[in-house]
């Protein structure tokens, strides 16, 4: 009888122990699930403004808003610098082919991911496809890119002689530079708008006072002015390069 009673007590203790050790595991799973849901909600709340991605996230301070705005302004500058590199001048530069997309089995693919691009001299580029069967497709993509280049295909390698730029062509390239600059300024203003709206919402919710709200909005405007001037500087440098004979 005593053995039966001991066995019952032992089983009861094991059940209680199992119940208590199960609680943290269940709690952990719930927290993990909630974190996943939160991340998915953030992704769902993404929206695009002028080519920039704005996350529907909550900020704890105006300093965080300003840092986010400044970071996104920086990405705008990086973007226009990359795009301006694709505008050709009178010298060979592989970057002018960065925006060329090749139809690779029905999928638009960047040329620089499909071939090696070399600069044998200051007036010539050579392109050697990793897959020789698409050499003709690469040639076609370059012709249709609007860069004004005439590739020469010998079946295994494509050569591009960089011609001197005519005065009319220079004027067209200057217009492209200005257009890229204006597009970037639009993106910067969109980022500014997002930042200001976020600060105003924080003020309306009572998270910050009126003075702090105004101070943060002023700081965002100063950042805006700074990066707009940087856009002008980057575009001006490219225009000088284009006009150089």
């Amino acid at each position: 009888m005593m053995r039966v009673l001991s066995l019952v007590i032992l089983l009861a203790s094991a059940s209680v122990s199992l119940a208590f050790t199960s609680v943290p595991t269940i709690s952990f799973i719930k927290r993990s699930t909630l974190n996943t849901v939160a991340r998915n909600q953030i992704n769902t709340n993404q929206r695009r403004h002028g080519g920039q991605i704005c996350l529907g996230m909550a900020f704890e301070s105006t300093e965080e808003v300003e840092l986010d705005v400044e970071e996104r302004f920086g990405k705008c500058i990086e973007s226009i610098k990359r795009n301006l590199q694709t505008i050709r001048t009178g010298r060979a530069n592989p970057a002018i082919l960065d925006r060329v997309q090749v139809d690779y089995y029905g999928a638009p693919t960047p040329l620089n991911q499909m071939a090696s691009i070399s600069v044998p001299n200051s007036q010539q580029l050579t392109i050697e496809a990793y897959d020789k069967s698409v050499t003709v497709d690469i040639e076609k993509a370059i012709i249709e890119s609007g860069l004004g280049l005439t590739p020469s295909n010998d079946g295994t390698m494509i050569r591009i002689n960089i011609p001197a730029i005519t005065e009319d062509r220079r004027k067209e390239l200057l217009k492209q530079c200005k257009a890229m600059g204006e597009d970037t300024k639009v993106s910067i203003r969109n980022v500014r708008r997002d930042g200001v709206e976020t600060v105003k919402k924080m003020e309306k919710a009572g998270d910050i006072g009126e003075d702090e709200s105004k101070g943060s909005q002023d700081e965002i405007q100063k950042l805006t002015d700074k990066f707009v001037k940087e856009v002008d500087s980057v575009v001006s440098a490219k225009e000088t390069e284009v006009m150089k004979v």
Side-chain angles (χ1 to χ4, degrees):
M1 182 67 179
M2 290 297 294
R3 288 182 180 179
V4 173
L5 183 58
S6 297
L7 182 59
V8 169
I9 293 173
L10 181 61
L11 289 173
S13 299
S15 299
V16 172
S17 176
L18 181 60
F20 277 105
T21 55
S22 299
V23 171
T25 304
I26 294 172
S27 177
F28 173 79
I29 292 173
K30 286 182 178 179
R31 284 196 298 271
S32 175
T33 303
L34 287 172
N35 289 337
T36 301
V37 170
R39 285 195 297 270
N40 289 340
Q41 186 61 43
I42 288 174
N43 292 332
T44 301
N45 288 338
Q46 289 183 349
R47 63 186 187 276
R48 290 189 174 274
H49 290 297
Q52 297 297 318
I53 297 177
C54 177
L55 299 178
M57 62 176 71
F59 294 94
E60 295 184 357
S61 67
T62 54
E63 287 80 5
E64 287 185 6
V65 177
E66 292 159 18
L67 286 172
D68 179 68
V69 166
E70 187 170 14
E71 181 181 352
R72 292 168 64 192
F73 282 165
K75 290 179 180 178
C76 290
I77 300 299
E78 291 172 9
S79 178
I80 190 174
K81 285 181 177 179
R82 285 195 303 269
N83 289 335
L84 287 172
Q85 283 183 339
T86 66
I87 294 180
R88 74 177 183 87
T89 56
R91 299 179 65 84
N93 182 354
I96 66 175
L97 301 175
D98 282 355
R99 290 192 293 171
V100 176
Q101 298 280 321
V102 182
D103 185 359
Y104 187 58
Y105 296 104
T109 306
L111 169 58
N112 54 21
Q113 294 182 12
M114 301 175 58
S116 62
I117 305 172
S118 304
V119 186
N121 59 64
S122 63
Q123 300 299 125
Q124 188 180 76
L125 294 174
T126 58
I127 304 164
E128 191 168 2
Y130 302 130
D131 178 358
K132 304 299 182 186
S133 67
V134 298
T135 301
V136 174
D137 296 317
I138 292 176
E139 179 186 14
K140 180 182 177 183
I142 294 171
I143 293 172
E144 296 177 350
S145 66
L147 291 172
L149 300 173
T150 304
S152 174
N153 180 8
D154 64 9
T156 59
M157 182 179 290
I158 295 175
R159 290 179 174 81
I160 300 176
N161 292 317
I162 308 298
I165 302 177
T166 65
E167 190 63 27
D168 288 342
R169 180 59 177 166
R170 288 183 196 278
K171 290 178 181 178
E172 290 179 14
L173 295 177
L174 289 176
K175 289 180 181 178
Q176 289 183 28
C177 292
K178 290 184 184 299
M180 288 183 181
E182 289 305 313
D183 287 345
T184 303
K185 288 179 182 179
V186 169
S187 295
I188 286 176
R189 292 186 188 108
N190 286 337
V191 173
R192 172 194 171 281
R193 179 193 61 204
D194 289 345
V196 169
E197 286 181 354
T198 299
V199 171
K200 286 182 177 179
K201 287 178 181 177
M202 293 173 73
E203 180 186 358
K204 187 175 181 180
D207 297 330
I208 59 174
E210 182 179 351
D211 289 344
E212 184 176 355
S213 175
K214 185 179 184 305
S216 184
Q217 291 179 54
D218 289 344
E219 181 61 28
I220 290 173
Q221 184 59 53
K222 289 178 183 177
L223 288 170
T224 302
D225 295 340
K226 171 187 172 183
F227 280 91
V228 165
K229 287 181 180 178
E230 187 168 353
V231 171
D232 289 335
S233 177
V234 170
V235 171
S236 178
K238 186 64 179 183
E239 288 175 338
T240 301
E241 183 183 347
V242 169
M243 292 304 295
K244 191 179 295 183
V245 180

